[in-house]
Amino acid sequence: MSVSDKELGRDSTLLYILRMHFIFCLLTHFWVCFFLQSDYHFEYTDCDVLGSRWRVAVPNKPDTCTGLPDPVKGTQCTFSCSEGEFLDMRSQECQKCSGGTYSLGTGVAFDEWDSMPAGFISHGMNMNIADIYTNCSNSTWIPKGDYIASNIDECTSTLSYAVSLKKAGTVSFEYFYPDNTIFFEFYVQNDQCESTDSEGRWMRTSEKDWTPHNLKLNRGNNVLYWRTTSFALVGSAVKPVLLRNIAISGVAYTSECFHCKPGTYSAKPGSAHCTPCPADSYSNKGATVCQQCEVDKYAEAGSGSCKRRPACTTSDYFYTHTPCDSKGQTQLMYKWIEPKICSEIVEGTVDNSTGGSVKLPASGQMETCPPCNPGFSVTNTSGCEPCPHGSYSNGTACAECPVGTEPVVGFEYKWWNKMPDNMRSSVYSNSYSGLRRWEVAGEYIYTTQGDLDSDYMMLSLTVPGYRLPHSVAKDDERSELSRISFVFETQCTADCTLYFMAGYSERTNDLVEHWSGTTRKQSYSYLVKSNSTVSFTWGFQRTQAYSEVRQYSSDFAKMYTVQITNVVGGVASQCRHCALGSGSASECVPCPPAHYMVNGTGVCKSCPPNTFIRADQTVGEAACIHCGPNTHSNKAHSACVSDCRLDLQSTGGGEVLQYDFTPLANITSFQSSPRFTSKGLRYFHQFRVGLCGEEGREVAVCVDNVTESRKEVRGYACQSTVVPSEVRGQSVVSSQPFTIGDTLIGKRSSFTPWCIPLKYETTQACKKGRTTTIRLRCDPTVARKDQITLPSKCSEGTCDGCSFHFLWRSLYACPLCTESHYREIVSACIQGIQRTTYVWQQPLQCTGGVSLPAQTVSACVTLDFWLKVGVSTGTVAAILLISISCYFWKRTRKLEYKYSKLMMTAGDKECELPAADSCAIMEGEDAEDDLIYLTKKSFFTKIKSFSRERSSDGFDSVPLKSSSGLEMEMS
């Protein structure tokens, strides 16, 4: 090798080394720049008054990076990218999103809830100010994968997100809000902490599916709040509020694209959203295409993975009937439940025995079509069509109602060859809804298997309105506008539940009744009292526990008959007699008040006095119901009322006591003793009572103000559950109202206390209906009008949930005062004046009535005068008594003398009578007449003579009159 060749080789080696060094320097510079760039990111400053801003580099970690790029002029504040694009902060230009990602352009979206997304904050708090001990720190919103769920306890849980909008935008999301025992509100606060309109912040309950909601947002800072509070206090399971697909527009730009979540994909660059994978396919995060599942696996729509197919069982298919053909025949058809997830070739366990999966039974068996439902007739094509107005049918042919009759309009479904036009079936699942899950089966309609055992199988009946027949008089006291009755059966191996709900508005369903577990074939009736009830819904759930494995496929609910009366646009299965008006020979009119129709005729006959006509039966004498004791029928004779007054004869047949309860007639509210939930939340049972009153009286009203749709119940007595709270800007929250008395039975008395029984319609738990007894006890010490107490052994007013008892102590429960309730007190005579005062008998047991008479004043004689008269009279009487005593003493002395004289004379001559002597007193003569005083003596002289001493013989000297008329003195 020559020198030149050696030098050339040396130069080549040096050149190679230089090249490698250059490449190494380039790589080193690249990686240094890369790592330096990863230590910071770009952001825009706030916009100035000119609408300009600067792009600056912000370190990801403080004090870890130096030599940041200098700030540069940024895009205008009004700049934005289109959907499917993002803003590259390095070049400050819009770039299209790559496949497997998406962008809203001027917004952000949140559709993955495996964890709480950045920026979202959830916290629980206690809104009950009076209760400071309840711990609500764990009552937060919980991510559930495809959605986020609210709390279900009585704490208030708030989900918030703060966003700054560069221009006016919107926020949209989907929610599922099935339980009206939860407050659910959504509102936005701006920079000045001003909230959205208070009326629009309360969400409406969801009917059967996810509900979309949109709200405009103003430019600037906005804080979004989703807040829930549960008030389910009766131990029932509470269904949480679910949120998903939250999207916010107006952020002006997004600096990155979002990856498609598992189960979705975007095939093309620049996508504004991701598309869910179809059934039996799956995708991972950021996928551009969905992968097909293997043959022995399946996947639901929008799934991120595939599952192994189970062996098919008899619970994986159902049977139904085809529409009737022209020959009146129908085919029995067997169908797999869609979407089909089982495999017919997989080995498994079937009916508790080892073996292969079952096959779908052969279809096509011909059967005779059932008859049409009452009110419908068979067409030429063996179909069913409704009879025209004024006619009726038993399911075969229509016939005109005879003269003097009217059709009984409504709907009665008892043959299920096809789904009625005003009924529809659906299923609600956490993932999706809309599939049909109630199938017709000839004599009944039943539930088929859902995708999950926790799915709700929904069956809805829509009603356009109600109208009373022409023969029924309209009256405000009549509570029954229509009646729906159905016969059903459930069979369960788990905790299945059948719900019956009434729709009071287009999107509001209130639970009426529910049945848990297996229930035998039975009927249930519900009274419709308002035209606002527009739909009825039955929901069947096999279990509340969520599981992806079907364990209770054999559980079912069957509906045999459904009947509803007085429906606008309904059909008639029969005609009934009616009274005819005077103007037209065929026009039906109601019977006059207090009259019933004789069965089989159109003749109206008067009811006995003090009766009312049954709303559900106006034919026959049994339609007349006697009013209870101490009540009377109203003018329309449709109900019994009380005038709040009562006359009663007291015990022992004494006077008649009159009572006036008018002061107690106004609506009175009272509460039970406080109760507490497991979290320590305090609540009460509130009762409202309207005791008595004539027509047009105020009735007791209990409300449900938890949701935006306000529900009310009315009657003589009702109950609701109230919670003291500051939620929704009101002092109390009222929920779960129901009536405990809407019919006045009567007023009875055991003298102490009064008894006023009320009655309400029957329920599942109360086969004989709810009854309420209000006892009024006279207590003059209680002037309040709401002193009502509950039984000590039943602090909720009832021990069985059916019989309620209340004791009302009040002054106004006492009889009216009469004259026998007071007495008079007469004062002494003072200076010739005497006062009479009237006072009540104590203890006072009356109120109102007669008033105490005013004090009376009368003239009288004083005691001094009568004392003087008495002394004078006594003195005169004493003198007179002494005089009389002296007189008789003197006369006695004379008689003694005469007697002694006679004895002396008789002693001289025995057996001879004394001779007559002139000084003797002849028979019939008065001694006073024989005394002749020759000289007149004074009174004192005479007195003195009486005291003359006797002679020695023991006799007093007595003047005698001789025969010559001269006075002599014998001694």
Side-chain angles (χ1 to χ4, degrees), residues 630-657:
N630 302 304
T631 62
H632 61 276
S633 57
N634 59 0
K635 294 181 180 179
H637 289 265
S638 60
C640 294
V641 295
S642 169
D643 60 358
C644 301
R645 300 178 185 273
L646 185 65
D647 294 339
L648 182 70
Q649 192 170 24
S650 60
T651 307
E655 66 174 330
V656 176
L657 300 177

Side-chain angles (χ1 to χ4, degrees), residues 438-457:
W438 287 75
E439 289 292 338
V440 295
E443 296 182 351
Y444 53 83
I445 182 173
Y446 72 105
T447 56
T448 60
Q449 176 60 50
D451 298 312
L452 301 174
D453 289 337
S454 57
D455 291 348
Y456 289 89
M457 310 298 164

Side-chain angles (χ1 to χ4, degrees), residues 4 23 48 63 71 110 142 171 268 425 474 484 505 515 547 777 789 875 882 897 902 958 970:
S4 60
I23 294 174
D48 56 23
D63 303 328
F110 305 94
I142 302 174
V171 56
K268 299 179 180 179
S425 171
K474 296 181 179 180
I484 181 171
S505 63
W515 298 266
S547 175
R777 176 174 294 170
T789 57
T875 303
I882 293 172
Y897 169 76
L902 290 176
V958 180
M970 295 184 63

Side-chain angles (χ1 to χ4, degrees), residues 659-665 668 691 751-754 774-789 806-816 844-848:
Y659 292 82
D660 186 3
F661 303 134
T662 303
L664 306 178
T668 303
L691 189 64
F751 291 97
T752 303
W754 283 102
I774 304 174
R775 291 174 169 83
L776 292 99
R777 176 174 294 170
C778 173
D779 191 341
T781 63
V782 180
R784 293 173 52 189
K785 299 179 181 180
D786 59 349
Q787 192 68 30
I788 304 178
T789 57
F806 308 118
L807 177 60
W808 197 337
R809 296 167 53 247
S810 175
L811 166 66
Y812 304 103
C814 299
L816 298 179
L844 182 63
Q845 296 289 331
C846 67
T847 182

Side-chain angles (χ1 to χ4, degrees), residues 912-930:
E912 291 184 6
L913 293 174
D917 191 1
S918 60
C919 61
I921 298 177
M922 301 301 292
E923 184 179 357
E925 292 181 346
D926 190 356
E928 283 297 320
D929 297 338
D930 294 341

